[in-house]
Amino acid sequence: MNGPWRLLPRPRRLRSRLALAASAAVVLVTVGVCTAAFFVLRYKLYQQVDQNLAQSATLVAQQSREDGPAVHRGECRFLGAPACAQTVPPDPADDPAEPYVLPVSPAVREVAAGRRAPYYRNITVDGHPARILTTTFGDGTAVQVALRSDVAERGVHQAAWLLGGIGAAGVVVAGLLGYAVSRTGLAPVTRLTATAERVAATRDPRHRIDLPAGPGPGRHRDDEITRLATTFNTMLDELERSVTAQRRLIADASHELRTPLTALRTNAELLTRADRLPADRRERAAGALVRQLEDVTTLVNDLIELARDEEPQPLLEQIDLAALTRHALTRARERWPGITFTLDVTDRAAGLLRPGIPARLARLLGNLLDNAAKFSPPGGTVEVALTERELTVRDHGPGIAGQDLPHIFDRFYRAPSARALPGSGLGLAMARQIARTHGAELTAERAPGAGALFRLTLRDRPSRPESGVRS
């Protein structure tokens, strides 16, 4: 599939690289083993020849101890012939009159003079391969013995061809194994690519990658590729929840906006005929229009605030939470004159500073206090307590039903008993978001006896006020 929806390329290049890497590893091991085996076989084949040469050199040394430099056995062109042998002095002037049958090089003279260690080497005798040993003989004399090495040479060539064939077959097998390993190992990646392309093409995050089965029933393999697929499935879970929440938010927002917008339109159309309306009805329509505009403005502002996931860091200040709570209580008393608000601040909490945005934290406290006052009976009491680590707001209303408790902080959620009350169902959702962006956690529970209890747990470490710090 081509086009803008293709997120991931098919893993053919990766598969080729993995196959090449696996094949190269097997090839290197195969070539290394074959090379090592060749040299071991070559050493073993020549070792027998070298042992015969050493025995022949010892025999020549024992039989010719009293003789000078000379050719002792000059015929070694036949396979069954004994080793041809000669003794060589360090000085060419001391050579015998009979010519040598084996090549005499400066290295031979150095061995005779004791300046070089004995050595073996391969030569050709009458067109046949041979092996020669040059060693010392007495004082100032070198012994050279040679034997035909056709069998050893032929064995070396056969071993080279055999191991070469094995190596070539190993290269072919390595290529096939590398391809199989890459195909099997990258199968989850192929499924991941297909799933990503399917999600991108359909915009449906409900697709998942099938994880390979593990050793036991209901278990999956624990390897890097499986963990990658699991992580991708987790990402799709989060994406699906996000898309679902987004769609629900849009649906809820459209539902909540439909009623006030309809009322706005009705009142606006009514005011277009204001000249035909009585003065008192015209004033009621104008007042309703203003209130509905305020409600829509508040709802839109709340939606904008909920869409923001984090607080701008440059706006953070050191806040005296106790003073901010007293200020929020003063405003709540003005809005709810029929409700009694009490505040209990511990000595350790008084004057402690915490980082935050004053306006946002004031909004959080205002939402909690408004929610508590809205559900309190006439003349009821809302109790606020502040300690070093938490802030609680309790009312004495009907409380929170068990089926409503898990959804109390959802956007636009309102319990059946609260649907007749004013509000859009965004206040508590906004309060929790503000709490989390400030490193705190807001929870709700049923208060002992009756009512609801909201607990704001403060996680950051407070600081004592210093001179010049704004609060």
Side-chain angles (χ1 to χ4, degrees), residues 142-266:
V143 175
Q144 285 185 290
V145 291
L147 282 172
R148 282 185 57 176
S149 57
D150 301 57
V151 176
E153 192 75 13
R154 187 165 52 252
V156 170
H157 288 150
Q158 291 175 349
W161 280 103
L162 178 61
L163 294 174
I166 294 175
V171 170
V172 175
V173 172
L176 296 176
L177 290 177
Y179 176 77
V181 167
S182 64
R183 185 178 180 85
T184 303
L186 292 180
V189 178
T190 303
R191 292 195 295 269
L192 186 150
T193 303
T195 303
E197 291 176 347
R198 192 160 54 248
V199 171
T202 62
R203 297 189 178 184
D204 184 2
R206 291 177 296 177
H207 300 287
R208 295 294 182 272
I209 301 174
D210 295 330
L211 301 178
R219 300 181 61 184
H220 300 291
R221 288 189 311 191
D222 185 15
D223 54 30
E224 290 77 5
I225 299 296
T226 304
R227 286 200 293 271
L228 174 62
T230 303
T231 303
F232 190 79
N233 283 342
T234 303
M235 183 188 70
L236 288 177
D237 290 338
E238 295 296 330
L239 179 61
E240 183 180 4
R241 280 194 289 268
S242 176
V243 171
T244 302
Q246 183 184 32
R247 291 173 178 170
R248 187 176 63 188
L249 176 62
I250 294 173
D252 292 342
S254 62
H255 175 75
E256 293 292 333
L257 285 170
R258 186 179 295 114
T259 300
L261 288 177
T262 302
L264 277 173
R265 181 177 179 179
T266 301

Side-chain angles (χ1 to χ4, degrees), residues 89-372:
D91 190 355
D94 299 330
D95 287 345
E98 182 183 4
Y100 292 118
V101 296
L102 299 175
V104 178
S105 63
V108 178
R109 305 288 183 179
E110 293 177 2
V111 172
R115 296 192 301 270
R116 181 170 178 171
Y119 64 91
Y120 296 91
R121 74 185 184 97
N122 295 325
I123 61 172
T124 300
V125 176
D126 293 332
H128 300 286
R131 183 91 167 156
I132 185 173
L133 167 63
T134 302
T135 184
T136 56
F137 172 56
D139 295 330
T141 305
V143 175
Q144 285 185 290
V145 291
L147 282 172
R148 282 185 57 176
S149 57
D150 301 57
V151 176
E153 192 75 13
R154 187 165 52 252
V156 170
H157 288 150
Q158 291 175 349
W161 280 103
L162 178 61
L163 294 174
I166 294 175
V171 170
V172 175
V173 172
L176 296 176
L177 290 177
Y179 176 77
V181 167
S182 64
R183 185 178 180 85
T184 303
L186 292 180
V189 178
T190 303
R191 292 195 295 269
L192 186 150
T193 303
T195 303
E197 291 176 347
R198 192 160 54 248
V199 171
T202 62
R203 297 189 178 184
D204 184 2
R206 291 177 296 177
H207 300 287
R208 295 294 182 272
I209 301 174
D210 295 330
L211 301 178
R219 300 181 61 184
H220 300 291
R221 288 189 311 191
D222 185 15
D223 54 30
E224 290 77 5
I225 299 296
T226 304
R227 286 200 293 271
L228 174 62
T230 303
T231 303
F232 190 79
N233 283 342
T234 303
M235 183 188 70
L236 288 177
D237 290 338
E238 295 296 330
L239 179 61
E240 183 180 4
R241 280 194 289 268
S242 176
V243 171
T244 302
Q246 183 184 32
R247 291 173 178 170
R248 187 176 63 188
L249 176 62
I250 294 173
D252 292 342
S254 62
H255 175 75
E256 293 292 333
L257 285 170
R258 186 179 295 114
T259 300
L261 288 177
T262 302
L264 277 173
R265 181 177 179 179
T266 301
N267 288 319
E269 291 176 350
L270 187 62
L271 288 175
T272 60
R273 300 188 296 271
D275 54 340
R276 289 178 285 179
L277 295 176
D280 57 342
R281 188 174 180 184
R282 186 169 57 247
E283 290 178 359
R284 287 197 304 270
L289 182 64
V290 171
R291 289 193 301 272
Q292 289 156 0
L293 282 173
E294 291 177 351
D295 291 341
V296 171
T297 302
T298 301
L299 178 60
V300 171
N301 289 335
D302 289 346
L303 288 173
I304 293 174
E305 294 293 339
L306 283 172
R308 184 171 61 186
D309 291 333
E310 59 183 11
E311 306 295 349
Q313 295 298 320
L315 299 181
L316 290 178
E317 302 178 13
Q318 292 295 323
I319 302 171
D320 185 342
L321 192 56
L324 187 65
T325 304
R326 294 189 186 96
H327 176 71
L329 283 172
T330 300
R331 298 191 61 182
R333 292 187 182 105
E334 295 174 355
R335 292 193 301 271
W336 305 90
I339 302 298
T340 301
F341 293 88
T342 65
L343 175 63
D344 180 18
V345 181
T346 62
D347 295 338
R348 293 181 61 85
L352 292 182
L353 302 181
R354 297 180 182 274
I357 300 177
R360 301 286 288 159
L361 289 176
R363 183 67 180 276
L364 183 154
L365 295 174
N367 287 356
L368 292 180
L369 295 174
D370 288 345
N371 181 79

